[in-house]
Amino acid sequence: DSGVTQTPKHLITATGQRVTLRCSPRSGDLSVYWYQQSLDQGLQFLIQYYNGEERAKGNILERFSAQQFPDLHSELNLSSLELGDSALYFCASSTQTATSTDTQYFGPGTRLTVL
Amino acid sequence: GNSVTQMEGPVTLSEEAFLTINCTYTATGYPSLFWYVQYPGEGLQLLLKATKADDKGSNKGFEATYRKETTSFHLEKGSVQVSDSAVYFCALKANTGFQKLVFGTGTRLLVSP
């Protein structure tokens, strides 16, 4: 158990809908990362937050957005869903200071299926 | 940009065989290197890491040595078990500022009894 929790574990929805994925980082970790794992794209970094602020963006679509709340949990919002958004979405956390070499610990993931 | 290249899978071995999964990287500076493992139906688990050249990471019988001269971080295990069947991901993280993990494509390992 990494200490990172994600809910829900599975999500099945229809095209055009909007969903919210939730992540709670390990106790004490200030940084949260979101990754997407799909068969055709592999593991892709989406976005990172540090202590409530967006720090880095990767291959995140405009239809997707995220935020990190004062209690440090994070939510990833996916809207206008398409079939191709079906994937496993991982959250990871780390202590992450600007000069650290720390490790990212991953949650169990949320499997999103868009029908 | 930074990138990681892993050997294509699947790698199919018999129990107690020796395992090597090759990983090479391209990066500026001195990144940290990681191996993550994903068991069927589960999330990513950190297997081992190394943060500087010549460091050896080890865990659960697996080892990998950070070789800067060959830009490699090959994963090895002397005697695999059926329970090692999983997908293994090599990854790097630059050690400057706020940096994401860059993953390889993953290598599936299948171990038969």
Side-chain angles (χ1 to χ4, degrees):
Chain A
D1 185 355
S2 67
V4 178
T5 60
Q6 289 186 249
T7 57
K9 192 166 184 177
H10 300 280
L11 202 47
I12 301 174
T13 189
T15 53
Q17 295 298 303
R18 171 189 169 95
V19 297
T20 297
L21 282 52
R22 182 188 170 104
C23 168
S24 293
R26 294 187 319 155
S27 177
D29 284 357
L30 299 179
S31 240
V32 169
Y33 307 77
W34 287 97
Y35 292 85
Q36 179 195 58
Q37 185 181 32
S38 61
L39 284 175
D40 53 344
Q41 299 285 337
L43 265 164
Q44 299 277 323
F45 167 73
L46 296 178
I47 197 164
Q48 178 200 1
Y49 278 81
Y50 175 75
N51 204 20
E53 293 186 11
E54 182 185 302
R55 284 295 182 175
K57 259 186 174 178
N59 300 322
I60 188 166
L61 301 171
E62 285 193 11
R63 301 183 284 109
F64 295 0
S65 65
Q67 53 184 327
Q68 186 179 27
F69 294 87
D71 67 352
L72 301 177
H73 90 272
S74 178
E75 293 180 356
L76 179 66
N77 300 296
L78 315 177
S79 62
S80 303
L81 286 168
E82 303 175 359
L83 295 177
D85 298 328
S86 296
L88 193 52
Y89 291 85
F90 286 111
C91 168
S93 76
S94 72
T95 54
Q96 185 70 80
T97 61
T99 57
S100 75
T101 58
D102 62 352
T103 297
Q104 293 179 28
Y105 293 89
F106 282 74
T110 293
R111 183 169 293 284
L112 173 66
T113 303
V114 182
L115 301 176
Chain B
N2 297 339
S3 66
V4 174
T5 302
Q6 284 182 242
M7 62 189 289
E8 292 278 336
V11 173
T12 305
L13 296 173
S14 298
E15 206 165 25
E16 299 184 1
F18 184 85
L19 168 71
T20 300
I21 299 178
N22 290 337
C23 170
T24 57
Y25 68 90
T26 301
T28 54
Y30 301 89
S32 291
L33 301 173
F34 304 82
W35 278 100
Y36 283 85
V37 58
Q38 187 175 28
Y39 296 101
E42 297 186 14
L44 290 169
Q45 298 178 25
L46 176 67
L47 183 59
L48 53 84
K49 71 175 185 179
T51 57
K52 60 182 188 295
D54 300 324
D55 265 2
K56 177 186 281 189
S58 61
N59 186 27
K60 298 180 182 179
F62 290 89
E63 293 183 341
T65 301
Y66 189 143
R67 302 283 188 203
K68 185 153 180 66
E69 63 275 13
T70 54
T71 62
S72 65
F73 192 55
H74 304 321
L75 183 68
E76 296 182 337
K77 186 175 186 184
S79 176
V80 293
Q81 305 300 311
V82 172
S83 58
D84 293 328
S85 297
V87 180
Y88 293 82
F89 292 91
C90 184
L92 70 79
K93 184 174 82 69
N95 286 335
T96 54
F98 293 87
Q99 296 292 339
K100 64 180 188 283
L101 278 169
V102 175
F103 286 91
T105 53
T107 302
R108 183 175 298 278
L109 170 64
L110 300 169
V111 181
S112 56

